[in-house]
Amino acid sequence: MKIYTFLSMVAFAFMLLCCGNAFALTVPKDIVLMIDNSGSMKKGDPHFVTKNAATEFVKNLHDDGTQVAVLIFDHRVNLAVPLTTVSEVTKEDILSNFDIDYQGQFTNIPAAMERAIYELKTKGQEESQKFIIFITDGIVDTGDKIRDIDKTRWLRENLAEDAAAQGIKIFGIAFTKLADFELIQSLAQKTKGKYFRVLTPEEIPEVFSRIYQLIMDMKPESVQPVSQPLTEAPLVSEEPPKPEIEKSPIYVTEAPEPTPTPVKPKKSSLPIIILIVLATFGVIVVFFLFRSRRKPSTTSTMAEGHVGVTGELLPEASIRDVSGATEKDIYKINKKVTKIGRKHQMNDIVIDQATISRQHATIVYKNFSYWIIDQGSSNGTFLNGKQIVDEMKLNHGDKISFDDYEFEFVMPVRDFDETVVDKTVFRRVNDPKED
């Protein structure tokens, strides 16, 4: 009879253990989807694959107490869907609020991350697993370069530490090569999340599917119970006495007193300093005398230009802002590659207009000419009314249009007949000799 009682107790304990494990595996999850809605996303994702992948992610969520929120950001932060319990009834409302149109101007990642963390801290469920899944194709860009540096540091250090302290794991997706992959990697590592790099929109659904599987398979971090000792442990552990080791006697002998070393008088360094100064002065005098006797070198009379930042002599050229879309009237071309676009930290000539792409076009000096190249801009680059597909050579007076903003290319023509010939000219045989 006793053996049956013992077996019953063992079976009951096993059932409790299984129920405990099952409960641990069904811990609810709170998830915030944080999606970049800036205008540059439309260039990389023209068919809104990101939106479709995110909606598919929500459709696959189980009705097990999971909560989901949707946060859309550009220069603004829009909490389109606050944390909402997922069910067959609420899924339709959640999916109808994916208001993504890729019309935003900037990329304020820190403000969006702060709002996502706040949503999880204030509306997240107790003991739930908390996640932020965010995708962006850019860097921290608020329109102020100095402010962007401070905001990036705040995101990397303070916000990441706050998320980690709250047990929030960040899953970051760096979309295209322009995304700040190092920042996304840092946020994921500091919060024990994951990071991904995606170069084409076709890869986005697969990455969302992988993140879904990782979150669903992720077990809650177990809390180790503090075991209570049956008996009170002594404050100081008693060790058995160590056997005494017989020590060999130490003999001390007196060392002989050292013989005093005679102190030599220090020599004055003043004469040496005077000699060094005189020698230096003599070298300077000889250098200037030698230089003054050298014959002046013949000045090259090439076509006038200016030395670019690479040290190469570039022909004088500039572009003039005809439309008045920028802060200056004339921009000198002093580099082999001059970048034009909307972003201050990326370009040499900044056209801060909403229809101008981040990297809109470049002017390149090659083969002794200047060329205009479109960089896949959203609204196009035009030369004398013709849209640039590949690259086109620039001539003086050409009209360049970045979208609707017109500029004029200026490159003064030099008279090469004024060039001084620096070679000996041979007199013809029939010419009379000069007196």
Side-chain angles (χ1 to χ4, degrees):
M1 190 69 179
K2 291 182 179 180
I3 188 66
Y4 291 113
T5 304
F6 175 74
L7 291 175
S8 300
M9 292 177 65
V10 170
F12 181 70
F14 181 74
M15 289 174 61
L16 288 177
L17 180 62
C18 292
C19 291
N21 289 337
F23 176 76
L25 293 176
T26 57
V27 171
K29 295 174 174 57
D30 295 326
I31 306 168
V32 176
L33 294 172
M34 193 175 114
I35 302 173
D36 187 349
N37 192 44
S38 60
S40 60
M41 285 285 290
K42 188 173 183 180
K43 179 180 177 182
D45 183 18
H47 302 295
F48 296 90
V49 176
T50 301
K51 178 179 179 179
N52 297 333
T55 54
E56 194 66 27
F57 180 92
V58 174
K59 289 179 182 178
N60 291 329
L61 293 175
H62 301 298
D63 186 1
D64 57 358
T66 297
Q67 292 190 134
V68 67
V70 179
L71 191 150
I72 301 169
F73 70 97
D74 36 62
H75 58 287
R76 301 159 299 179
V77 177
N78 174 27
L79 185 63
V81 179
L83 272 177
T84 304
T85 303
V86 176
S87 67
E88 294 302 323
V89 177
T90 60
K91 276 185 182 180
E92 185 176 350
D93 293 334
I94 294 170
L95 297 175
S96 65
N97 285 285
F98 272 81
D99 189 16
I100 300 173
D101 54 13
Y102 295 152
Q103 295 295 324
Q105 188 171 2
F106 297 109
T107 314
N108 197 344
I109 301 174
M113 187 64 69
E114 181 188 30
R115 186 64 183 86
I117 293 172
Y118 178 78
E119 184 72 8
L120 290 171
K121 287 168 63 175
T122 57
K123 297 183 181 178
Q125 306 169 82
E126 291 186 9
E127 307 300 328
S128 67
Q129 293 177 291
K130 298 175 175 62
F131 306 93
I132 295 175
I133 305 169
F134 88 100
I135 179 170
T136 181
D137 73 331
I139 62 176
V140 174
D141 180 17
T142 63
D144 185 332
K145 188 175 181 180
I146 302 300
R147 187 183 178 195
D148 291 344
I149 296 173
D150 294 335
K151 288 285 187 181
T152 302
R153 186 184 301 110
W154 175 56
L155 172 60
R156 190 189 298 268
E157 297 174 2
N158 301 83
L159 289 181
E161 291 177 4
D162 188 16
Q166 300 295 327
I168 300 171
K169 292 179 172 59
I170 297 175
F171 287 69
I173 305 172
F175 180 42
T176 76
K177 293 181 179 180
L178 297 177
D180 192 342
F181 180 72
E182 292 183 0
L183 175 62
I184 292 172
Q185 182 184 40
S186 174
L187 294 174
Q189 289 177 338
K190 286 185 177 181
T191 59
K192 298 181 181 180
K194 299 290 182 181
Y195 54 91
F196 304 85
R197 166 161 273 175
V198 176
L199 300 181
T200 62
E202 289 76 19
E203 302 173 70
I204 294 175
E206 181 183 353
V207 171
F208 267 90
S209 177
R210 288 180 59 188
I211 292 175
Y212 175 86
Q213 201 61 46
L214 286 169
I215 291 177
M216 292 300 111
D217 294 343
M218 189 172 293
K219 296 180 181 179
E221 296 179 359
S222 59
V223 180
Q224 297 295 336
V226 180
S227 59
Q228 298 292 335
L230 297 177
T231 58
E232 187 176 353
L235 296 178
V236 181
S237 59
E238 298 180 358
E239 296 182 358
K242 296 180 180 180
E244 294 185 359
I245 301 174
E246 185 178 353
K247 298 180 181 179
S248 57
I250 300 174
Y251 300 97
V252 180
T253 57
E254 294 184 3
E257 294 184 2
T259 305
T261 304
V263 180
K264 295 181 180 180
K266 293 183 179 179
K267 294 182 180 180
S268 175
S269 58
L270 183 60
I272 298 175
I273 295 174
I274 294 173
L275 287 174
I276 293 173
V277 171
L278 291 174
T280 305
F281 180 74
V283 170
I284 294 172
V285 171
V286 170
F287 172 77
F288 278 103
L289 287 174
F290 175 76
R291 188 170 181 178
S292 63
R293 292 186 178 183
R294 289 178 61 189
K295 294 182 180 179
S297 58
T298 304
T299 304
S300 174
T301 56
M302 293 175 62
E304 290 186 18
H306 57 272
V307 178
V309 295
T310 58
E312 181 179 354
L313 186 67
L314 304 179
E316 181 181 351
S318 59
I319 64 171
R320 185 169 62 88
D321 185 358
V322 177
S323 301
T326 66
E327 298 176 352
K328 295 170 61 176
D329 293 332
I330 296 178
Y331 294 87
K332 289 186 177 180
I333 309 299
N334 59 1
K335 298 171 65 176
K336 289 191 71 174
V337 179
T338 302
K339 299 178 181 179
I340 301 103
R342 175 164 52 85
K343 297 297 177 182
H344 289 268
Q345 62 268 37
M346 297 180 180
N347 299 287
D348 304 298
I349 299 174
V350 177
I351 308 173
D352 193 5
Q353 303 293 337
T355 56
I356 299 299
S357 299
R358 295 183 182 182
Q359 291 182 333
H360 199 99
T362 55
I363 295 176
V364 178
Y365 179 72
K366 62 179 182 178
N367 299 330
F368 306 103
S369 299
Y370 286 101
W371 301 75
I372 181 75
I373 304 172
D374 184 76
Q375 296 297 318
S377 62
S378 299
N379 295 300
T381 305
F382 303 84
L383 181 62
N384 298 324
K386 182 179 180 181
Q387 185 169 5
I388 298 170
V389 178
D390 185 11
E391 61 180 26
M392 297 181 72
K393 184 178 178 181
L394 290 172
N395 297 302
H396 175 69
D398 282 345
K399 305 296 182 183
I400 309 171
S401 297
F402 307 102
D403 185 28
D404 289 332
Y405 303 101
E406 184 174 311
F407 289 73
E408 180 182 12
F409 182 73
V410 180
M411 184 177 176
V413 179
R414 299 298 176 188
D415 187 0
F416 287 92
D417 293 339
E418 297 176 359
T419 304
V420 178
V421 179
D422 194 21
K423 296 181 180 179
T424 303
V425 179
F426 291 93
R427 175 174 49 80
R428 289 179 296 179
V429 177
N430 296 330
D431 289 348
K433 293 184 180 180
E434 295 180 359
D435 294 336

